[in-house]
Amino acid sequence: MTIDHAKAKEMVVRLHELPGVGWHAIQKAVAQSLWTKAEGMTEADWLEAGFQRAQALSAAVRMQEPMLKEDSPAERAIRLGASVITPYDDLYPAAMRQMPQPPWVLYAWGRLELLERPSIAVVGTRNPTAYGRHTAAQLAEQLSASGLTVISGLARGIDAVAHQAALQKAGGTIAVLASAVNSCYPSENRELYRQISEQGLLLSETPIGAKLHPGMFPLRNRIIAGLSLGTLVVEAAKGSGSLITADQAVEMSRDVFAVPGPISSPKSEGANELIGKGAKLVSRVEHIIEEFPWLTEQLNRISGVNRLKKGHSAEAEQSSLSAEERKLIEILRDQPLSMNDLHQITAIPFGHLSALLINLCIKRKIEQQPGSLYIVL
């Protein structure tokens, strides 16, 4: 049977945005090609198609309404500037078509071309140590610089660090949200959310206006895993949500990578356990890239184009730093240090050193962590 893609998309979007209508109910409608007669179906017809009574009534009513009425989630998304993507659209990511239960509808706001890029998920604890933050930032920046798009969930901690580090490099970043694309959760990441909406991509399967609840986070995690070539875990305690993402990656035959941590650190217990179960140990970005040698040409093209576009701006940014500021950044690349440590290494007077560190924090080159340790962003 020839599929009318426009009609099929319309039916899927309408059903997806109905409260109480889940993935399997939409699958029934698709399997029976109900888009051919959806607008004329009664409650009894939907019941006969296998829908529950409340679902059948809602579907019968909704299919008689204009598709893009002003208060519908799809219309609100379009007014926002977001795209509404279904498996009937060419933009739907090929990797997601291979998932066991791919999202019926995606709301995407930002750089849609990132959906076509090879990508790696970077996830981890919401309360990382300085080691975890530094490692996640370093690996995410290098992955993006190589041309790989970094995907994460905009959570506090490792997710936010990975997004920020990847944002300005060739591969860019995609934030997969549990909330709708017009809503930032957690609110503390609002500035990062704004930056990603302008320079990266926000992605969600949650209709605009839907109330956020805990069950949406595992659904978000499956998209992170399914959209990526592999998932990198940086610091995860036992029971961490990032381990759910890793498990989902395994179920989808995706690669799982993990950064080893101190055996005495509870926050590395989950990541270390993943390595024991067969996840590839990662201590540098090459450990990830070498798993995908077939990507070399594509990654070189992406990173090469980006270097042409950003070469001059990068040089200008570097020249805006003083020699002392550049020296401090080079020292901090090796390990997080306190102001006392930096004073002993550089012999820069405390007053001047404090001013340099404040300036570097303002320029978003370094960040002060709990314990007064400074790390490179």
Side-chain angles (χ1 to χ4, degrees), residues 236-266:
K238 274 195 169 183
S240 167
S242 55
L243 299 182
I244 296 175
T245 308
D247 288 342
Q248 291 173 329
V250 171
E251 292 172 5
M252 298 178 203
S253 300
R254 306 295 200 266
D255 289 285
V256 175
F257 307 93
V259 173
I263 59 173
S264 58
S265 172

Side-chain angles (χ1 to χ4, degrees), residues 167-186:
L167 194 58
Q168 301 297 333
K169 300 299 180 181
T173 192
I174 297 175
V176 184
L177 311 180
S179 60
V181 290
N182 67 332
S183 176
C184 176
Y185 181 88

Side-chain angles (χ1 to χ4, degrees), residues 50-100:
F51 279 56
Q52 297 177 4
R53 184 164 298 279
Q55 295 173 336
L57 177 60
S58 297
V61 171
R62 182 64 186 275
M63 292 300 167
Q64 312 308 317
E65 298 172 344
M67 169 59 178
L68 292 178
K69 62 177 185 176
E70 189 171 327
D71 62 342
S72 73
E75 171 60 19
R76 291 169 65 188
I78 291 169
R79 289 204 307 270
L80 175 72
S83 297
V84 181
I85 304 169
T86 73
Y88 302 104
D89 293 296
D90 292 338
L91 272 174
Y92 195 86
M96 302 192 80
R97 296 182 189 274
Q98 304 164 14
M99 293 170 58

Side-chain angles (χ1 to χ4, degrees), residues 51-247:
F51 279 56
Q52 297 177 4
R53 184 164 298 279
Q55 295 173 336
L57 177 60
S58 297
V61 171
R62 182 64 186 275
M63 292 300 167
Q64 312 308 317
E65 298 172 344
M67 169 59 178
L68 292 178
K69 62 177 185 176
E70 189 171 327
D71 62 342
S72 73
E75 171 60 19
R76 291 169 65 188
I78 291 169
R79 289 204 307 270
L80 175 72
S83 297
V84 181
I85 304 169
T86 73
Y88 302 104
D89 293 296
D90 292 338
L91 272 174
Y92 195 86
M96 302 192 80
R97 296 182 189 274
Q98 304 164 14
M99 293 170 58
Q101 291 188 11
W104 287 112
V105 180
L106 290 168
Y107 305 88
W109 186 17
R111 295 174 56 197
L112 295 175
E113 73 272 15
L114 294 182
L115 290 174
E116 302 173 357
R117 298 273 187 88
S119 57
I120 294 291
V122 179
V123 296
T125 179
R126 286 171 171 75
N127 299 291
T129 63
Y131 162 77
R133 294 179 68 89
H134 176 73
T135 303
Q138 185 178 55
L139 290 173
E141 180 177 7
Q142 292 172 356
L143 284 167
S144 182
S146 75
L148 284 160
T149 297
V150 171
I151 300 178
S152 201
L154 200 70
R156 62 176 62 91
I158 295 298
D159 287 25
V161 169
H163 285 308
Q164 190 70 63
L167 194 58
Q168 301 297 333
K169 300 299 180 181
T173 192
I174 297 175
V176 184
L177 311 180
S179 60
V181 290
N182 67 332
S183 176
C184 176
Y185 181 88
S187 58
E188 67 196 62
N189 285 340
R190 183 163 297 281
E191 176 57 24
L192 177 58
Y193 165 90
R194 183 193 64 76
Q195 292 175 6
I196 295 173
S197 72
E198 294 175 353
Q199 302 169 48
L201 180 69
L202 299 169
L203 192 67
S204 176
E205 68 176 328
T206 302
I208 289 180
K211 187 176 180 181
L212 183 64
H213 61 78
M216 292 175 174
F217 291 94
L219 294 175
R220 181 272 312 268
N221 292 349
R222 97 185 190 287
I223 295 177
I224 294 173
L227 190 54
S228 310
L229 292 171
T231 294
L232 171 65
V233 178
V234 183
E235 282 199 329
K238 274 195 169 183
S240 167
S242 55
L243 299 182
I244 296 175
T245 308
D247 288 342

